[in-house]
Amino acid sequence: KDSMSMKSVWSDAQGDHAVAAPVSLIVSAFAPVDDVRKTRTPQAVYREDAEFWLIDLGNGRNRLGGSALAQAYGQMGDSAPDVDDPGLIRNAFLAIQQLIEKGWICAYHDRSDGGVIASLLEMSFAGRIGLDVDVASLNGTRDEAGILGLLFNEEAGAVIQIDSEHRGRILEVIDSHGLRAVTHRIATPRDDHRIRILDDGRVLLDAARVDLHRKWSETTWRLQALRDNEDCANAEHGRILDTADPGLHASLTYDPSQFDQPAISKTPPRVAILREQGVNGHIEMAAAFKRAGFIATDVAMHDLLAGRHKLSEFQGLAACGGFSFGDVLGAGGGWAKSILFNEGLRDQFQEYFFREDAFTLGVCNGCQMLAHLKALIPGAGHWPRFVRNLSEQCSLGTCPSSSKPVTSWSRWRRVRRFCCRGCKDRGFRWSFPTVKAGSNWPRIRASTGCTVRPRSDSSITAGL
C-alpha cells in the first residue's frame, strides 16, 4: 500500500481508540491512449435505433456470493464470481478495442458492483434516457431467484451501446473473437424517461427514471447535506426531477474543424506554460497552444527565480490549473504571494503586464492567482476577488456566447454570473467591487469558456 501508517486515533468518554488500516497490495497499471477522442464513457446516447448488448464473461453462471444484492439482504452468499476463462477476457478486450477504433460503440460500462442492472441504470442516469431492459436472451432460470441472479450477479462483463446500422459488422467482430455465445441484446432506449424491465414481454418493473435516479443518489445527497450546505445539497438533488435538464454538456456555436490549420503568423509566437508545485494542467495546456500554432515552453516558478527563463522571452503567458499549495481555498493567493513578496519576480511580472505585444491566460488556480496580481496589471482595479460561496464547493459552468461588446453594467452582471461558475476554484465565487451604472468600463467580449478583456494598452488578459 502507498502508506504503511494509515491509523486513526481518537479519544472520548469511554477512553482512547485506534483503528489501523490493514496492509494490502495495490497494483497500478498504465497503458498508452493512442487517441483520446476515441475513449468511451458510460453516458448513454438517445438514438431510436440504438441497442445495448451485454458481453457476459461469466458465461451464464450468475454467482451472487459477496454481491451488493446479498449484502442488501444481510447475507454473504455461496459461490462468488470468478474468472473461469482468462482467455475470454482477453478476447473481449481486443474486440472492444477494435469496435472503438471503428467508431461503432457509443457508450461502455463494465459490469461490476450491483450487476448488469446497475450498469444499465447508471448509463441511463448519465444520458438521461429511458430504457426497455429485456432479460429473455440471458442464460438462467426464470423464477424470481433466477431473475435476481441475472440482473444482480457481478461476474466479469461489460455493456456496450451500439447503433443497429452497424449490427452486422459488430457481430462479425464478436464472432472473430469467439464471443458470440456470451453476447446478448439486453436493452433499447426510450424517449419517455421510463425504465421497464421485461422477461420476454412480461413486465417485471415499470418506473420513472427520475425516481430511480433519486433513490440511487440518496446516500450521496444525505451525506452531502450533513457535510456541506443543506440547501445546496437539496437543490442539487432536486434537479434530478427536471427531465429537460441535459446535464453537463457542450454546445458549440462554431465548427472546431475551422481551427485545425491555425495561421497566427509566419513566426510562431512563444508562450510560457507557467506552473507552480502541484500544478497538473500544464501538459494539456501546452498541447492546446501547440495545436493553435504557438511554441510552448514549460516554465516553472523556480525557473524564473533562478533566471533560467525570463518573461521577456515570451509573447504569451498561461498560468495553469491543478493542485498548487495543496488545492486548499486560497491556493491561488499563495501562488500570487510568491510573486508579490519577491522583488525580482514582482518587477518582472509587472513589466510583462505593461507590454503591448503580450497576452495572459489564467485557468483554475492560475486564474485565481492572476486575480491576486491585479495591482500589477494596468486597468485591473475593478477585477474581482475570490470569497467563499454558499456551498463551499466547486461550481462549474460556462460563460455565455456573445458577439457584441459588453458595455453596460447590467450586461456585465449577466456575464459575471456565468464566469464565476466557470472558474473551477473550489469553494469560491467572484466578488466584484461596487460600480455605478454608466461607469466608463472598457469594452469586453464574452465567449464560451472564458472572458477576454482588452486592456487600454491593447494587450489582453483572459480568465477561464
Side-chain angles (χ1 to χ4, degrees):
K1 195 171 178 62
D2 55 355
S3 173
M4 302 300 291
S5 59
M6 293 184 64
K7 185 177 180 180
S8 296
V9 180
W10 73 96
S11 300
D12 58 22
Q14 283 72 43
D16 297 331
H17 307 273
V19 174
V23 176
S24 59
L25 174 65
I26 295 179
V27 179
S28 297
F30 299 86
V33 177
D34 296 326
D35 189 341
V36 69
R37 295 170 299 181
K38 292 183 178 180
T39 57
R40 291 296 178 268
T41 74
Q43 182 175 342
V45 180
Y46 178 76
R47 293 173 183 170
E48 289 186 1
D49 60 346
E51 299 175 357
F52 294 82
W53 290 6
L54 168 65
I55 301 177
D56 176 19
L57 301 180
N59 200 11
R61 291 176 177 85
N62 304 337
R63 291 165 288 201
L64 288 169
S67 65
L69 178 69
Q71 182 182 8
Y73 284 96
Q75 302 176 20
M76 286 295 293
D78 299 319
S79 300
D82 202 352
V83 178
D84 302 292
D85 185 356
L88 204 60
I89 290 183
R90 179 182 183 274
N91 290 347
F93 174 80
L94 294 175
I96 289 172
Q97 291 301 301
Q98 186 174 341
L99 294 174
I100 290 176
E101 178 65 29
K102 296 290 187 180
W104 295 341
I105 290 181
C106 307
Y108 170 93
H109 197 323
D110 64 313
R111 177 172 64 177
S112 55
D113 293 350
V116 69
I117 187 60
S119 301
L120 288 165
L121 288 175
E122 288 173 358
M123 297 176 82
S124 159
F125 300 157
R128 289 170 167 76
I129 66 171
L131 288 178
D132 269 339
V133 181
D134 196 335
V135 299
S137 66
L138 303 184
N139 299 321
T141 59
R142 287 300 182 270
D143 57 9
E144 183 176 351
I147 290 176
L148 287 177
L150 293 174
L151 294 173
F152 291 96
N153 80 80
E154 298 173 9
E155 302 278 0
V159 176
I160 60 175
Q161 180 186 359
I162 69 163
D163 285 333
S164 60
E165 64 175 299
H166 302 305
R167 184 190 296 114
R169 288 172 288 185
I170 293 173
L171 284 174
E172 291 177 2
V173 174
I174 294 295
D175 278 336
S176 68
H177 290 85
L179 300 170
R180 184 65 174 266
V182 298
T183 301
H184 311 275
R185 179 179 180 269
I186 191 172
T188 54
R190 298 174 60 96
D191 62 359
D192 59 357
H193 297 280
R194 303 292 299 181
I195 301 291
R196 295 201 310 165
I197 300 178
L198 311 165
D199 180 20
D200 198 18
R202 181 167 61 102
V203 178
L204 306 177
L205 175 74
D206 188 345
R209 175 189 59 80
V210 293
D211 292 339
L212 297 178
H213 194 167
R214 282 168 64 85
K215 291 179 183 297
W216 176 81
S217 64
E218 183 174 356
T219 301
T220 300
W221 164 50
R222 294 191 181 278
L223 286 172
Q224 185 181 0
L226 293 172
R227 183 195 64 189
D228 305 328
N229 182 279
E230 184 177 2
D231 291 338
C232 294
N234 293 340
E236 183 175 344
H237 190 61
R239 287 186 61 194
I240 297 174
L241 293 172
D242 182 6
T243 58
D245 181 4
L248 292 176
H249 69 289
S251 180
L252 297 180
T253 57
Y254 60 91
D255 180 5
S257 64
Q258 65 181 299
F259 300 108
D260 284 348
Q261 300 294 330
I264 295 178
S265 64
K266 293 182 180 180
T267 303
R270 298 186 64 195
V271 58
I273 308 299
L274 185 66
R275 60 185 174 94
E276 176 60 292
Q277 57 85 16
V279 163
N280 58 8
H282 54 293
I283 300 297
E284 293 86 349
M285 181 71 77
F289 271 102
K290 182 178 179 181
R291 182 163 182 177
F294 288 80
I295 297 175
T297 303
D298 179 38
V299 179
M301 288 297 296
H302 60 76
D303 291 328
L304 297 178
L305 283 167
R308 286 186 287 269
H309 285 293
K310 293 185 179 297
L311 295 181
S312 58
E313 304 169 20
F314 304 98
Q315 291 76 52
L317 172 64
C320 303
F323 300 95
S324 58
F325 293 90
D327 199 39
V328 297
L329 297 182
W335 188 355
K337 288 179 175 64
S338 69
I339 298 170
L340 294 172
F341 295 152
N342 182 290
E343 185 177 356
L345 285 180
R346 181 186 177 100
D347 292 344
Q348 188 174 166
F349 273 83
Q350 189 165 32
E351 290 174 6
Y352 176 84
F353 291 140
F354 270 83
R355 285 171 50 187
E356 296 186 358
D357 63 341
F359 70 90
T360 301
L361 171 68
V363 175
C364 195
N365 276 343
C367 173
Q368 185 188 146
M369 179 269 287
L370 288 175
H372 285 275
L373 295 183
K374 65 181 182 179
L376 309 182
I377 303 172
H382 67 282
W383 276 19
R385 61 188 178 89
F386 288 91
V387 297
R388 290 181 180 272
N389 63 17
L390 183 62
S391 69
E392 297 193 354
Q393 297 296 312
C394 170
S395 296
L396 294 176
T398 59
C399 295
S401 272
S402 173
S403 59
K404 298 180 179 180
V406 182
T407 55
S408 69
W409 174 239
S410 60
R411 292 188 64 196
W412 171 251
R413 287 173 61 87
R414 290 198 293 273
V415 173
R416 177 192 69 168
R417 182 179 69 250
F418 287 90
C419 178
C420 73
R421 295 186 60 212
C423 288
K424 199 178 181 291
D425 287 281
R426 294 152 184 80
F428 280 106
R429 64 180 173 85
W430 286 107
S431 175
F432 282 82
T434 302
V435 178
K436 294 181 179 180
S439 297
N440 186 22
W441 281 59
R443 285 169 164 257
I444 69 167
R445 293 181 185 271
S447 59
T448 302
C450 70
T451 56
V452 181
R453 179 182 177 277
R455 292 182 0 209
S456 56
D457 57 7
S458 298
S459 56
I460 295 175
T461 301
L464 181 64

